[in-house]
Structures are given as structure tokens and as C-alpha cells.
Amino acid sequence: MIASRRTVLAALAAGTLAGCSRPAGLDGGGRVPSAGPVAEARSHTPVTVPLPAAPTAPALTRAQVVARYGHLRPRTWGFGGPGVVRELPTSRRLIALTFDACGGRGGSGYDQALISFLRRREVPATLFLNSRWIDANPAVFRQLAGEPLFEIANHGTRHLPLSVTGRSAYDITGTRNAGQVYDEVARNQAKLSRLLGVPPRFFRAGTAYSDDVAARIVTAMSDHLVTFAVNGDAGATFTPWQVESTVTAAPAGSIVLCHMNHPSSGTAQGIAAAVPRLIAAGYRFVRLSDKLR
Ligand SMILES: [Zn+2]
């Protein structure tokens, strides 16, 4: 029952990850830009910690990745693959809310209402941040990175589907070879390692698409490659009611994907409606690192 429901939700997800995937400039400019760090500071007292500079070297060099994986041909393409994490290893009523910030033109907004709600209700979450989004929101990044409620994860450098052959998803051309896969993961990994003082443990590709060779590369680079069990906001295109109904239906152990970079979307309102219903039904929320070692 649970498995079939997951399958249905995953199938629904396959066609709709637009907020994470729409090419720059194709969102019609209808998205509201970031509320900015000033407004954020008024509504919340952040715990801003000094961020030490302690970069950690990747487990593999680019040359090693190319040598080991450059000759392999992929056999799969999608949200699964070897080692890909789509749900938590638990049957308990736990849900991991994850929010992507995809960056780039049309994708660098900040959903302050969403984050404020999570703080107010003390709902932990994992935030997958793209390198370009961090560059566009440095003050907000520092606030979020200093809050134990939130865990920072890697959402890529250029927000590319992770392919060793240049396959596309949602009209975005993916990385073209093993070396570019390395670059897409490692450059933002290095940035986050420097800013956080420790390397991020989780990676989600732009659009969440990858092939099996790229998945093996990510795992070899000591990251968990994470996709999702439930596509909670369909790339920040869902209405509040659609977000609420989809997230509320998430089975135990789900990794739920939504977005925190489209403040004019229905995501914040939908999450604010879904969370109390899930809590009333006995669910608790966790960060990925709370359940994945
Ligand atoms: Zn994204």
C-alpha cells in the first residue's frame, strides 16, 4: 500500500519539477525577488555564527574521477539509480522536508514566509542550496547556516542535470562527461565546505535528474545523492491547496521536495497548512542527517 502510493507520487513527480528546472528567464518574470536580509532580520533573531574557513578536500580528484568513470556508459536516467536516496530508512512516522534554492535568473528569490513558519513551529528541514543562490543571498545564507534547525546541503554549482553524456531534463542540457559531473558537485561542495567549516553530506542535482554513472561518481565523492519520494510543490508551481494535499499525503519515511526560492508560489502557504495536519496525525519532521549516516 505504502509502496504503491510512493510509486504514484513519484510518477506524478516525473513531469513537474519546473521550479527546480525551468531554464533561466522562462518563468515569465512572475516570481517575486528575495525579501532580502533586512526584512528577514526584523522578523527573526538569527543565531549568526562565525563561519570558519576549513575546506575539506574531496574524496577524489577530478583526474581520478575521469580515469575511473570517464569510459563508462550510462544505463539509467531519472530520479533513481545506484545509491540514490529517495526515502528515509524508517517505517516510523518521520518525514524529511527538503527545500531547494536553485539560483540563477528567476530562481534566486527567498521565501521568507516559508522559513519564518519553519522557525516559528520549530520544524527542522534540509536546505539544498545552489552556488548561484548563495552568491545572490549571502546574508540570508549566513543566517540559515547558523541555525541548527536547518541543515545545508549541496544543490550544485550551475544547477545542471547530472549526466555523463549531456542528456537534458526540462530543456536544460546536463553535464556532458564525468569531469563536468565532478565540477558540478565539487565546486559548490568546496564553497559550502569553506563557508560552513565542514563539507555538506547531501547532494541533489539540478532538476534531480541523474544517470547511474553520475550517481556512482557522487557516491564516490562521499556524498549521498538525494532525490525525493514526494514532489511537494511541482517546482513551485502548485497552488497552496495542491501543496497541502500532496504533502499531507506523504507516507512515513518520505523525503519531500519543495522550493524556498519562489516566494510568490503556493509553497509557504501549503506547507503552513500541511505541517499542523501531519503533526496532528502523529508525524515528526527530521533533517536528512538525523536518519542517514
Ligand atoms: Zn533546483
Side-chain angles (χ1 to χ4, degrees), residues 17 19-21 100-103 128 130 155 159 204-208 259 261:
L17 269 178
C20 211
S21 61
D100 287 2
C102 308
F128 282 87
N130 179 262
H155 194 34
H159 197 262
R204 178 182 283 144
T207 76
H259 289 78
N261 60 326

Side-chain angles (χ1 to χ4, degrees), residues 232-233 237-249 265-274 277:
D233 67 359
T237 64
F238 270 177
T239 65
W241 180 85
Q242 287 175 308
V243 174
E244 177 186 353
S245 58
T246 304
V247 174
T248 303
S265 73
T267 301
Q269 200 177 329
I271 289 291
R277 289 180 59 186

Side-chain angles (χ1 to χ4, degrees), residues 55-195:
T56 302
L60 292 175
T61 66
R62 191 180 197 279
Q64 287 172 321
V65 165
V66 171
R68 293 184 192 181
Y69 300 96
H71 63 288
L72 300 179
R73 308 312 300 169
R75 290 180 294 181
T76 67
W77 180 243
F79 302 129
V84 175
V85 180
R86 303 189 67 163
E87 56 198 29
L88 303 173
T90 182
S91 58
R92 297 170 59 200
R93 292 187 178 185
L94 300 177
I95 286 178
L97 294 179
T98 69
F99 297 95
D100 287 2
C102 308
R105 191 152 58 98
S108 290
Y110 170 51
D111 195 339
Q112 182 184 338
L114 170 69
I115 296 298
S116 295
F117 169 80
L118 298 175
R119 286 172 176 148
R120 218 166 35 245
R121 295 298 298 258
E122 298 185 341
V123 176
T126 302
L127 312 180
F128 282 87
L129 306 183
N130 179 262
S131 180
R132 304 168 308 170
W133 189 90
I134 296 169
D135 292 341
N137 298 276
V140 176
F141 171 83
R142 283 193 293 274
Q143 287 181 9
L144 297 173
E147 295 180 65
L149 193 62
F150 303 125
E151 171 175 45
I152 306 297
N154 182 356
H155 194 34
T157 304
R158 295 192 294 153
H159 197 262
L160 301 178
L162 220 54
S163 169
V164 294
T165 58
R167 285 193 73 160
S168 298
Y170 309 106
D171 295 327
I172 300 178
T173 302
T175 48
R176 298 183 182 281
N177 52 53
Q180 288 192 2
V181 168
Y182 178 92
D183 294 340
E184 177 66 11
V185 178
R187 289 178 182 173
N188 198 38
Q189 185 182 63
K191 179 198 286 279
L192 286 169
S193 298
R194 177 171 51 81
L195 293 172

Side-chain angles (χ1 to χ4, degrees), residues 268-286:
Q269 200 177 329
I271 289 291
V275 163
R277 289 180 59 186
L278 285 165
I279 291 173
Y283 285 83
R284 281 197 306 116
F285 300 95
V286 295

Side-chain angles (χ1 to χ4, degrees), residues 2-42:
I2 288 176
S4 65
R5 189 191 228 180
R6 280 190 176 130
T7 303
V8 169
L9 290 167
L12 283 171
T16 48
L17 269 178
C20 211
S21 61
R22 70 166 61 80
L26 288 189
D27 65 354
R31 302 298 188 187
V32 178
S34 166
V38 174
E40 173 62 20
R42 286 196 195 109

